[in-house]
């Protein structure tokens, strides 16, 4: 008998049509696309593994991106558009849990986004837990 179901977040539970960087560049502001891309391939990776803090890194990055926003506004713009659940998966989760199967979300998320998904998006209301982890921990002996 199945006791647990593990579902990934992005692309499975959370329906997202565009990445944050795509939405940001789509605003038509005079942003530095190269600096944004560089951030996500370097510093953001370190944020995901807990070696850097996203808020501190965004504070440094926003001037480099030519974005005159606060860190708070940037995070809100980013996270608020990534809180929509795929309706079919949402209904499936409800059905599975009604059958007594526990549903957990193992996901590779940065700590602030993981907390936002749990609290603000409402994963806490439809799943039994979230495990956000990083590659560093997965592959470390």
């Amino acid at each position: 008998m199945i006791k647990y179901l593990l579902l990934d977040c992005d692309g499975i539970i959370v329906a997202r049509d565009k990445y944050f960087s795509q939405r940001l560049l789509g605003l038509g502001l005079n942003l530095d696309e190269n600096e944004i891309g560089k951030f996500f391939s370097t510093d953001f990776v370190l944020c995901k593994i807990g070696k850097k803090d996203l808020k501190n890194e965004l504070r440094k990055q926003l001037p480099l991106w030519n974005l005159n926003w606060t860190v708070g506004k940037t995070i809100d713009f980013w996270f608020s558009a990534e809180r929509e659940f795929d309706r079919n998966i949402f209904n499936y989760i409800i059905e599975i849990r009604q059958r007594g199967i526990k549903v957990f979300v193992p996901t590779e998320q940065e700590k602030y986004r993981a907390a936002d998904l749990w609290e603000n998006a409402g994963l806490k209301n439809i799943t039994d837990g979230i495990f956000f982890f990083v590659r560093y921990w997965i592959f470390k002996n």
Side-chain angles (χ1 to χ4, degrees):
M1 176 177 156
I2 297 173
K3 295 182 180 181
Y4 307 102
L5 177 64
L6 306 176
L7 293 171
D8 190 22
C9 199
D10 291 327
I12 304 295
I13 297 174
V14 174
R16 172 176 57 195
D17 61 337
K18 292 182 181 178
Y19 288 101
F20 162 69
S21 58
Q22 294 169 316
R23 291 181 32 255
L24 195 59
L25 291 168
L27 293 175
L29 303 173
N30 184 27
L31 303 178
D32 190 324
E33 185 173 354
N34 291 329
E35 285 293 332
I36 294 170
K38 189 168 106 179
F39 169 73
F40 281 101
S41 63
T42 58
D43 293 319
F44 183 67
V45 173
L46 295 174
C47 292
K48 286 172 63 172
I49 64 171
K51 293 201 179 261
K52 290 190 175 189
D53 184 86
L54 179 63
K55 291 179 181 180
N56 292 338
E57 294 310 307
L58 282 176
R59 198 169 286 107
K60 296 180 216 172
Q61 290 298 316
L62 294 176
L64 298 174
W65 296 355
N66 299 321
L67 186 59
N68 190 24
W69 285 1
T70 65
V71 169
K73 180 177 179 176
T74 306
I75 287 177
D76 186 55
F77 176 81
W78 182 348
F79 295 174
S80 66
E82 299 183 7
R83 294 182 186 140
E84 184 75 26
F85 296 145
D86 177 288
R87 194 50 52 198
N88 292 327
I89 295 296
F90 177 87
N91 292 334
Y92 180 67
I93 291 170
I94 301 303
E95 176 188 322
I96 288 294
R97 290 184 78 217
Q98 288 173 346
R99 290 197 256 160
I101 298 171
K102 299 227 181 253
V103 177
F104 293 95
V105 181
T107 184
E108 185 180 80
Q109 298 293 335
E110 183 279 328
K111 68 180 179 182
Y112 294 116
R113 181 153 185 261
D116 185 78
L117 289 166
W118 184 253
E119 291 293 330
N120 299 323
L123 281 178
K124 68 180 181 180
N125 299 322
I126 65 164
T127 66
D128 295 287
I130 184 172
F131 303 98
F132 63 98
F133 54 90
V134 295
R135 284 182 221 143
Y136 177 79
W137 292 342
I138 295 170
F139 297 117
K140 185 176 178 183
N141 290 338

